[in-house]
Amino acid sequence: FTPIITTESNDFHYSSSSSSQARRKSSPLFETCIRQEESPNDTIEELSTGPPLPIKSLPCDANIFISRSRPFFDPSFDDMTKPQQHSYHIARVGNKPDVFHLRGFLTKWECSAIMNEAQYNYDDTGMNTAKSENGDSFRTNCKVAWLSDARIGNICGIIGKAIENVFVTDEVKTAYGSHRSDLQVLNYKEKGGFVLHHDGHDRILTVIMYLNGVGETWLPLVEIDDDGKNSRNDEDEQISSLQEALYKVQSRSLQPGKDGVLISGSVKDDSFIDESSNCDEYEYNPHVVPVEAGDAIAFYSYGTECKGEDWKSIHAGIPLEFKGEEGKWIATSWYHAPSITC
Ligand SMILES: O=C(O)CCC(=O)C(=O)O
Ligand SMILES: [Fe+2]
């Protein structure tokens, strides 16, 4: 590991080995990226609603290894004499807009604690039926709870802060009115889903955490790197409205698993390896990102040069096939930057 940056509660390292890394081809960009990071002249030129360094320059096929604080009372922590840290990996899964996979971001204990808190302790009544912000029912068969930072002994605060530290530039953090949302917890039951939409409302960053590894989120217009280029997306094609983005998905009959990026709790990582073939020739589908309980996905909803909404970040919660009574559990943290997006 090559240490890159140390911040208050997050340590960044580039990692050259991980299970998913081992399955991907090694990247010639890897060394270049490290050199960029260490350059003293490297500054963020303009107020960017996109990712800060070092993840800004993270190529596909490389990982960043990150440590973050964890709640001291997490009983799955096995050595109380060591600093209370939890490690996870970040890998890029899309370029336009930037989309990242946070592998092992939450511990299993944190996932359970959040689900329990949302289900049993919210307003003493359990979770409420979810409605979209404008009151329309774009979301079906879904319950919601909002957890503020202090809940469960500040774990929502620890998680939110860890996200903010890694995914939001200092300029955006210090801009007037910038703040992160409370943690939104959703529980979808059978057939429950969320139609294609853009998060908007000055939310520059969305981080969706998969609490039980069930369910799928699809970002149909995200472009991925040269290795697995989404051939139907013309490069630099401008999309200027939500309607245009939705029309593109419909008129081109884009499909989850073939176009854009499908975040899928329903696919096991190992299913990408064809055991009968040579190890180097496994079937790797860059349009599918398998996630497990504790993984998260982060993406940006505004153009990086303050050019308004990036409509390529539209996404949907795919209607849930029956997966047992538990259903699909996710928690979402948004970062708002009203003075930059308006
Ligand atoms: O259900 C999902 O997978 C996505 C949820 C979502 O996009 C939202 O809550 O804004
Ligand atoms: Fe959304």
Side-chain angles (χ1 to χ4, degrees):
F1 297 131
T2 309
I4 302 288
I5 296 177
T6 304
T7 64
E8 226 176 21
S9 57
N10 294 280
D11 295 327
F12 298 87
H13 305 266
Y14 271 94
S15 160
S16 56
S17 65
S18 75
S19 56
S20 83
Q21 170 86 18
R23 294 195 181 108
R24 296 170 182 210
K25 283 172 245 138
S26 68
S27 167
L29 289 172
F30 182 63
E31 287 298 328
T32 318
C33 189
I34 287 175
R35 276 201 300 277
Q36 272 179 10
E37 293 304 323
E38 290 175 344
S39 159
N41 299 327
D42 220 356
T43 52
I44 298 166
E45 330 71 56
E46 54 195 341
L47 202 59
S48 166
T49 49
L53 295 169
I55 58 165
K56 181 183 179 182
S57 57
L58 182 69
C60 287
D61 299 340
N63 285 276
I64 298 182
F65 179 74
I66 309 240
S67 297
R68 67 162 174 86
S69 310
R70 62 187 290 174
F72 71 91
F73 47 83
D74 178 343
S76 61
F77 192 62
D78 47 27
D79 185 352
M80 301 301 279
T81 63
K82 291 200 180 133
Q84 310 287 306
Q85 295 284 302
H86 168 68
S87 301
Y88 65 101
H89 285 89
I90 300 180
R92 179 186 287 279
V93 294
N95 292 326
K96 287 185 194 170
D98 295 289
V99 184
F100 299 97
H101 178 196
L102 290 66
R103 210 151 35 80
F105 178 60
L106 299 179
T107 66
K108 298 287 185 289
W109 181 83
E110 288 167 341
C111 292
S112 304
I114 293 167
M115 289 187 282
N116 278 329
E117 182 77 359
Q119 190 159 25
Y120 299 117
N121 299 323
Y122 185 71
D123 278 354
D124 299 326
T125 56
M127 300 175 83
N128 297 326
T129 302
K131 288 217 166 51
S132 294
E133 261 154 57
N134 56 10
D136 294 333
S137 54
F138 292 130
R139 216 162 9 191
T140 43
N141 208 6
C142 182
K143 295 199 159 197
V144 64
W146 289 90
L147 304 181
S148 60
D149 275 12
R151 300 295 279 267
I152 335 173
N154 199 39
I155 87 170
C156 298
I158 290 172
I159 291 165
K161 200 79 197 152
I163 291 169
E164 196 177 316
N165 282 346
V166 176
F167 291 97
V168 185
T169 60
D170 286 343
E171 288 92 331
V172 169
K173 273 188 270 193
T174 52
Y176 180 73
S178 292
H179 66 281
R180 80 182 128 78
S181 68
D182 286 349
L183 197 64
Q184 186 201 59
V185 185
L186 295 181
N187 180 208
Y188 297 91
K189 293 289 165 67
E190 192 178 2
K191 298 196 176 72
F194 198 160
V195 297
L196 274 173
H197 65 282
H198 185 268
D199 279 354
H201 300 284
D202 74 33
R203 296 178 289 195
I204 58 159
L205 169 73
T206 302
V207 178
I208 302 178
M209 293 154 253
Y210 297 84
L211 300 176
N212 65 345
V214 171
E216 297 177 310
T217 310
W218 183 39
L219 299 95
L221 299 179
V222 166
E223 294 177 26
I224 52 185
D225 87 319
D226 296 338
D227 268 347
K229 194 145 199 99
N230 192 348
S231 54
R232 294 197 213 182
N233 281 342
D234 307 334
E235 242 188 290
D236 292 329
E237 188 178 5
Q238 294 303 315
I239 299 176
S240 52
S241 66
L242 178 61
Q243 285 69 24
E244 217 181 291
L246 297 176
Y247 178 75
K248 190 168 171 178
V249 178
Q250 248 185 4
S251 63
R252 300 189 185 186
S253 306
L254 302 188
Q255 286 175 34
K258 287 193 181 152
D259 299 285
V261 174
L262 176 70
I263 314 303
S264 180
S266 315
V267 184
K268 287 280 159 272
D269 210 1
D270 288 349
S271 65
F272 286 92
I273 301 171
D274 179 356
E275 303 286 350
S276 61
S277 72
N278 183 314
C279 283
D280 294 336
E281 294 170 12
Y282 64 85
E283 280 284 328
Y284 165 65
N285 180 355
H287 298 287
V288 180
V289 177
V291 283
E292 296 180 357
D295 286 6
I297 198 85
F299 58 89
Y300 294 82
S301 286
Y302 285 80
T304 48
E305 286 146 24
C306 310
K307 299 254 169 67
E309 287 90 345
D310 185 342
W311 298 107
K312 286 184 180 169
S313 74
I314 58 166
H315 55 280
I318 301 283
L320 183 67
E321 285 171 34
F322 185 68
K323 297 280 177 197
E325 285 309 313
E326 204 184 29
K328 165 184 173 180
W329 280 91
I330 57 173
T332 307
S333 175
W334 285 282
Y335 200 86
H336 296 255
S339 62
I340 293 165
T341 53
C342 299

